[in-house]
Amino acid sequence: MSKSDLNSDLILINRLRNGDESALTELYNKFWQSLFVSSYNILKDKELCEDIIQDIFMNIWHNREKLEINISLKGYMYACARYQVFNQFKKNKDKIHVELFEDLDKRFQYSTPETQLMHEELLEQINSIVEALPEKCQLVYKLSREEQLSHKEIAERLDISTKTVENHITKALHVIRLSMGTSASMAMVLWLSKNLFK
């Protein structure tokens, strides 16, 4: 992300915090269509997707004074949409085919070039946060997320209890959540938790 993009993001966020309605309009015009397309690629429900995207902008406006964004504005907006899509799947999981639910992560990431960029950007940020974790916590996280080992397998490999493994994973998620910003973090925790809690 270029410095000028980062600066224009910060200016727009500050305008939003100060109650500038034209900043909300600008944000809406900039992201509405791509967020809608990404959500629609998953949910295939026009009205539901319109409601989801509308809610994202309304929530941003209602919480504008407390708005904290620690990633790019684009990354933040896609993470908000991703969280809402995951939410819909959670609410309607009985009506959704298991295969569709399991494939959601992959399909959301690559449904548009923007979502692929967002995914890469978020991964980069998460990796830098993980690198700053205490050594044992970092090792447990990586074994779980990258090698897809179960808690029991990690415990056996590191000669620690499964409870200790769970504690390290909970700590890693907590640190990542705090570092990512409020709305984005919910999406990331859902995504990260997918294979961490077995």
Side-chain angles (χ1 to χ4, degrees):
M1 183 176 173
S2 74
K3 200 171 180 180
S4 67
D5 285 342
L6 189 60
N7 286 339
S8 65
D9 279 4
L10 291 172
I11 291 165
L12 190 58
I13 292 162
N14 282 330
R15 284 172 55 206
L16 279 167
R17 280 200 200 113
N18 293 323
D20 182 346
E21 288 183 27
S22 66
L24 182 67
T25 304
E26 204 175 305
L27 189 71
Y28 185 90
N29 291 337
K30 189 172 180 181
F31 291 108
W32 189 92
Q33 188 173 6
S34 53
L35 293 180
F36 174 80
V37 169
S38 296
S39 303
Y40 185 78
N41 281 344
I42 309 298
L43 298 172
K44 304 294 184 195
D45 183 326
K46 184 174 179 288
E47 282 182 28
L48 179 60
C49 292
E50 285 172 352
D51 289 346
I52 282 174
I53 308 307
Q54 196 68 30
D55 284 348
I56 290 169
F57 289 101
M58 283 175 66
N59 287 337
I60 286 173
W61 183 250
H62 291 309
N63 297 298
R64 62 189 178 277
E65 290 170 14
K66 317 182 273 222
L67 204 57
E68 284 296 330
I69 298 177
N70 301 316
I71 53 176
S72 75
L73 196 49
K74 180 189 270 188
Y76 179 83
M77 296 304 292
Y78 276 96
C80 289
R82 186 189 181 95
Y83 170 65
Q84 294 292 349
V85 168
F86 268 110
N87 240 4
Q88 289 305 317
F89 270 84
K90 266 175 81 178
K91 281 184 203 165
N92 301 300
K93 62 183 174 190
D94 297 337
K95 299 174 194 167
I96 293 169
H97 295 300
V98 175
E99 321 83 74
L100 190 63
F101 187 73
E102 286 177 346
D103 202 30
L104 172 66
D105 191 58
K106 191 187 290 182
R107 288 184 300 109
F108 195 92
Q109 284 168 29
Y110 304 115
S111 56
T112 66
E114 289 86 0
T115 50
Q116 186 170 351
L117 280 172
M118 178 204 83
H119 177 70
E120 287 165 5
E121 187 176 280
L122 289 173
L123 265 184
E124 200 175 294
Q125 174 135 1
I126 288 166
N127 288 338
S128 68
I129 295 164
V130 169
E131 292 303 317
L133 289 170
E135 194 177 333
K136 187 64 73 91
C137 185
Q138 187 182 139
L139 180 59
V140 168
Y141 171 88
K142 286 180 175 177
L143 288 172
S144 180
R145 186 68 196 161
E146 293 168 15
E147 294 190 35
Q148 308 286 308
L149 297 182
S150 69
H151 290 182
K152 189 170 180 242
E153 289 168 330
I154 296 169
E156 285 167 2
R157 186 182 290 194
L158 300 179
D159 197 24
I160 56 177
S161 71
T162 51
K163 185 72 185 157
T164 303
V165 171
E166 284 167 24
N167 290 342
H168 281 307
I169 287 170
T170 302
K171 181 179 180 175
L173 285 175
H174 179 69
V175 171
I176 291 166
R177 187 168 58 240
L178 286 178
S179 305
M180 295 299 289
T182 329
S183 294
S185 72
M186 292 157 135
M188 292 315 300
V189 169
L190 279 167
W191 176 70
L192 289 165
S193 300
K194 192 175 171 193
N195 294 311
L196 286 174
F197 291 102
K198 296 176 189 169

